[in-house]
Amino acid sequence: MTARVFVGVQLAAPVEQPLDAAIAPLRDIHTDVVWTRPQGWHVTLAFCGDVDAASERRIGDVVADVASVTCAPVLIPRGIAVWHRRTLVLELADEPAGALATVGAHLQRRLAAAGVPVAQRDVAGHVTLARQRRDPLAVRAAANAAQTAVDVRALASWTPEQLCVWHAELGRGPARYVVDQAVAFASS
């Protein structure tokens, strides 16, 4: 049996709750996009795709090793944007600058060295809020509404406590993301 697996960090409640409250009314108005579920909002650091049980175990081992020696960066909500003309995101900055990309690159290298199939991608801090369904202009309209509805300056910065292994449950509606393993980051 295979599962679509990725590694990332969760959104903190002080960010998730006000963001969800600001976006909730938009879900009923902008129905031409697929809105992501707030309980699955995350920042992806490594995407492994469909993997078997043995690879999932190796992913867990690597995540435990990396988290144990890594201090999590501070994540700072920066703005609402459209990426690649299809995806509505909350963009994030980090402190120290570039730390999130460094953690992602290290994690991807370690996963590849462990024989896990992993996409080698630059990590740009973001949380996906919605995706294009059919009409590319729908994402732009939703983004314009979200930029007005969400006061990004009022969203809290946060330091993720855990590095998580997730799997995606696909089918009917937006994907559901489930945390399979959560490992605490090293203390600073």
Side-chain angles (χ1 to χ4, degrees), residues 4-171:
R4 181 164 290 174
V5 174
F6 61 93
V7 180
V9 297
Q10 295 174 300
L11 222 60
V15 179
E16 179 187 318
Q17 292 164 350
L19 182 60
D20 184 33
I23 287 177
L26 303 180
R27 291 186 185 103
D28 294 332
I29 299 167
H30 295 277
T31 57
D32 290 339
V33 296
V34 177
W35 293 93
T36 56
R37 293 181 167 104
Q39 55 273 53
W41 284 340
H42 63 276
V43 180
T44 301
L45 299 176
F47 180 77
C48 301
D50 293 328
V51 299
D52 59 21
S55 292
E56 276 193 86
R57 285 189 293 279
R58 287 196 305 274
I59 292 167
D61 292 343
V62 168
V63 165
D65 287 346
V66 169
S68 72
V69 297
T70 303
C71 293
V74 175
L75 300 180
I76 306 147
R78 191 174 74 192
I80 303 289
V82 175
W83 283 13
H84 311 291
R85 298 186 326 206
R86 307 190 64 208
T87 309
L88 175 63
V89 301
L90 171 66
E91 294 179 317
L92 303 169
D94 57 357
E95 288 181 6
L100 192 64
T102 300
V103 172
H106 178 65
L107 184 60
Q108 291 172 28
R109 281 192 306 275
R110 290 284 310 274
L111 288 166
V116 174
V118 60
Q120 298 295 318
R121 300 178 182 160
D122 291 338
V123 173
H126 73 283
V127 176
T128 299
L129 303 175
R131 290 184 178 84
Q132 171 186 324
R133 188 181 304 255
R134 286 179 276 296
D135 178 6
L137 296 178
V139 170
R140 174 54 57 200
N144 290 339
Q147 288 166 343
T148 301
V150 177
D151 181 2
V152 175
R153 296 170 308 210
L155 297 177
S157 299
W158 84 99
T159 303
E161 295 178 8
Q162 301 170 318
L163 187 57
C164 301
V165 179
W166 306 67
H167 78 268
E169 294 177 351
L170 306 175

